[in-house]
Amino acid sequence: QWLPVSMSTEDLSHWILNRALRPNTIAESMHDMLIERAILVELLRTVWGGMSASRHNNVDLIIAGRPFATMSEPALAALALLDALQPDPDGGIVELVLDPDGLVAAAGALGERSPALAADVVEHDLIHPFATAIVVRGSGNDGELAVRGQVRHQNGETELFTVPYGSIHKVQIDANETVPLTLVCEGGYTIGGRDEVTEITAGRNGDLRSGHFGILIDARGRPMNTKVDAASRSSRLQSWFEDLGLKI
């Protein structure tokens, strides 16, 4: 259900068995990377679903380890985390952080002896935002307008955009840019309980940190509806990747 391409159960089983025999293989083709992502999503959903915290999904920070940090396509990592955990924070904003060196575990152990030093490690060596997702609450028909937005860049240009229900939109902000972002929800949709989010300062040093992959406006619903026929599901997944600039 997480593959945007058609593949038989038998072929997928053979792929998984071959990878199990060669666990250190690095995926190079887009086909293999898509399968890896799908497996990671389902594994993480299975583990997360068995935890009591998953009943609320009030998650505003996701720190992901090496399997996600080493993905060659950032869009694959971003969608994998959002698809697997489907965060629905009360404030409407969830920050995605990558931890390729496993510093979270080290900081946790260090914190038992020196909380201040552990906090310093997290603040200066770990918390480098990958992306920030804005989660839109509400439901409707795919393609129905959910959110209208505006970004005023430092060069004076104004970028207007719309986000239909069932899609995810990427707002790209330059690394050193700090800009005002305005979002207005259509009837029946909210962000953090508000239908209008005006003048958020977005950027690396803003109230809404963008990360190097940007700001993602996720209007795909909670919980996401994946119980559709195979053709519709494939088309929907492909559109999500394309929304984030990845051609498959």
Side-chain angles (χ1 to χ4, degrees):
Q1 67 176 338
W2 302 109
L3 276 175
V5 293
S6 177
M7 192 174 189
S8 70
T9 301
E10 182 179 12
D11 287 343
L12 181 58
S13 297
H14 287 166
W15 190 99
I16 293 173
L17 290 171
N18 282 326
R19 175 53 59 88
L21 293 172
R22 305 169 181 83
N24 296 320
T25 302
I26 298 175
E28 294 183 349
S29 71
M30 179 57 66
H31 180 72
D32 287 344
M33 286 189 284
L34 289 172
I35 296 175
E36 278 191 350
R37 188 204 84 96
I39 293 172
L40 276 172
V41 170
E42 192 59 26
L43 283 172
L44 189 53
R45 279 196 61 75
T46 300
V47 173
W48 179 238
M51 300 174 68
S52 60
S54 68
R55 298 169 192 166
H56 306 289
N57 281 1
N58 186 21
V59 176
D60 58 13
L61 174 65
I62 298 173
I63 302 176
R66 186 171 178 79
F68 301 92
T70 55
M71 287 184 176
S72 59
E73 293 288 349
L76 294 178
L79 279 175
L81 293 171
L82 293 175
D83 291 352
L85 299 178
Q86 298 186 28
D88 189 15
D90 289 340
I93 296 173
V94 56
E95 191 169 6
L96 309 181
V97 175
L98 299 181
D99 177 26
D101 300 316
L103 291 179
V104 167
L110 181 62
E112 294 186 359
R113 291 182 174 269
S114 176
L117 183 56
D120 193 58
V121 168
V122 170
E123 180 67 26
H124 297 289
D125 297 315
L126 171 63
I127 302 300
H128 298 290
F130 165 57
T132 296
I134 299 174
V135 179
V136 181
R137 284 180 173 174
S139 62
N141 298 316
D142 282 0
E144 175 183 279
L145 182 59
V147 176
R148 291 177 285 117
Q150 173 182 287
V151 179
R152 293 200 305 273
H153 294 282
Q154 290 180 346
N155 61 9
E157 293 184 359
T158 298
E159 176 187 351
L160 301 175
F161 60 87
T162 57
V163 186
Y165 179 74
S167 71
I168 182 167
H169 180 80
K170 178 182 175 183
V171 177
Q172 189 64 55
I173 297 174
D174 292 341
N176 299 318
E177 190 176 27
T178 301
V179 300
L181 171 66
T182 301
L183 300 172
V184 178
C185 298
E186 295 297 305
Y189 298 96
T190 62
I191 296 172
R194 295 174 291 172
D195 56 13
E196 185 170 342
V197 184
T198 307
E199 295 293 326
I200 307 176
T201 304
R204 191 175 187 85
N205 299 313
D207 299 325
L208 184 67
R209 297 195 292 179
S210 63
H212 73 265
F213 189 58
I215 295 171
L216 310 177
I217 302 172
D218 189 348
R220 299 178 297 166
R222 294 291 186 273
M224 290 162 48
N225 178 22
T226 58
K227 296 181 179 180
V228 294
D229 62 87
S232 298
R233 184 167 57 244
S234 176
S235 176
R236 179 182 293 175
L237 286 164
Q238 289 184 31
S239 71
W240 293 347
F241 286 117
E242 291 173 0
D243 288 341
L244 299 189
L246 183 62
K247 301 293 185 181
I248 59 174

